[in-house]
Amino acid sequence: DVKVTQSSRYLVKRTGEKVFLECVQDMDHENMFWYRQDPGLGLRLIYFSYDVKMKEKGDIPEGYSVSREKKERFSLILESASTNQTSMYLCASRLGTNQETQYFGPGTRLLVL
Amino acid sequence: EDQVTQSPEALRLQEGESSSLNCSYTVSGLRGLFWYRQDPGKGPEFLFTLYSAGEEKEKERLKATLTKKESFLHITAPKPEDSATYLCAVCNLNNNDMRFGAGTRLTVKP
């Protein structure tokens, strides 16, 4: 079974703080993704990574950065958190570019005050 | 731009009352259409992938079907434990991008 874990289930931060969200997968998947999920908007792609040290912008990258130093770990960074970044953050991984199915972690619900 | 629209937004059923969820899509080239189940406060759980029109897949009380413009998730004799949000997504053949719908929130009352 694919196992994707996220460092926190719930997080409360203040405006302007730097926030790190971490995602780890244990199935040697090449591709990893960060989404945010808001009511009525569905999942929107923030960033993705095809391989170690590679990153690509998704649909809504503004205000976020990512890091992938090891294959199993993909971090999402909010450089200066703002209230409009309050959301559910979901990490996903996929075996490789020739595979379509993405497997998701449990999510991190972030509240920025 | 690829688009996925799910309807209805919310559906309330009595236990045993069969129904269908709809996923309409537009995509420049379909690599696959996906159904996920998401329980409150949790990440989406993969259910099915459909690749071509006419294809059907089943899992317990769920059956997914696909046409060139839409997919249906049929729920036969649902139980309260089927209550969840069901997400539909398409993967674009040309760029491998995934596009998700906003989901249908299903509630099954005992």
Side-chain angles (χ1 to χ4, degrees):
Chain A
D1 267 2
V2 177
K3 184 86 171 170
V4 181
T5 59
Q6 294 183 229
S7 51
S8 305
R9 295 301 306 276
Y10 302 95
L11 216 48
V12 180
K13 296 291 181 181
R14 297 222 173 261
T15 303
E17 279 192 78
K18 192 168 185 175
V19 182
F20 293 87
L21 303 181
E22 195 165 72
C23 174
V24 177
Q25 50 91 6
D26 68 355
M27 288 301 293
D28 203 34
H29 283 183
E30 287 187 354
N31 305 162
M32 297 186 74
F33 306 82
W34 275 107
Y35 293 88
R36 65 178 281 175
Q37 184 177 31
D38 301 289
L41 296 179
L43 275 73
R44 292 181 291 166
L45 183 63
I46 304 170
Y47 267 97
F48 61 101
S49 169
Y50 282 127
D51 208 339
V52 177
K53 296 194 185 295
M54 295 177 67
K55 60 185 179 184
E56 297 283 342
K57 292 180 180 179
D59 297 323
I60 51 165
E62 297 79 17
Y64 303 94
S65 61
V66 290
S67 172
R68 191 156 179 216
E69 296 297 316
K70 294 185 177 182
K71 192 173 186 178
E72 68 271 17
R73 199 175 297 266
F74 191 34
S75 300
L76 180 70
I77 302 149
L78 287 65
E79 296 289 342
S80 177
S82 62
T83 54
N84 62 12
Q85 292 178 308
T86 291
S87 187
M88 172 73 139
Y89 289 88
L90 291 162
C91 174
S93 72
R94 180 175 68 190
L95 181 60
T97 310
N98 291 327
Q99 304 292 322
E100 311 89 8
T101 305
Q102 294 183 21
Y103 297 92
F104 285 85
T108 296
R109 189 166 291 282
L110 173 67
L111 173 63
V112 182
L113 299 174
Chain B
E1 187 179 305
D2 301 341
Q3 282 197 327
V4 179
T5 304
Q6 292 187 246
S7 62
E9 285 186 22
L11 181 62
R12 295 169 70 92
L13 299 173
Q14 286 296 128
E15 185 171 0
E17 180 187 0
S18 302
S19 189
S20 296
L21 282 56
N22 177 263
C23 172
S24 297
Y25 66 91
T26 54
V27 63
S28 54
L30 182 68
R31 183 162 186 175
L33 183 139
F34 301 81
W35 283 99
Y36 287 85
R37 171 194 169 124
Q38 186 175 23
D39 292 304
K42 297 188 177 180
E45 175 189 344
F46 171 71
L47 291 173
F48 304 109
T49 309
L50 301 167
Y51 294 101
S52 57
E55 189 176 358
E56 298 183 354
K57 288 203 174 159
E58 287 189 63
K59 181 179 181 177
E60 296 180 356
R61 294 175 292 283
L62 301 177
K63 182 167 89 171
T65 61
L66 181 65
T67 72
K68 287 188 177 181
K69 293 184 178 181
E70 58 192 353
S71 176
F72 291 94
L73 185 65
H74 306 277
I75 303 176
T76 303
K79 297 183 177 182
E81 53 261 42
D82 294 322
S83 297
T85 295
Y86 291 86
L87 301 175
C88 173
V90 295
C91 183
N92 189 302
L93 179 66
N94 302 311
N95 56 23
N96 228 18
D97 284 353
M98 288 274 278
R99 188 70 57 185
F100 284 83
T104 293
R105 188 173 67 255
L106 174 67
T107 304
V108 181
K109 294 288 190 182

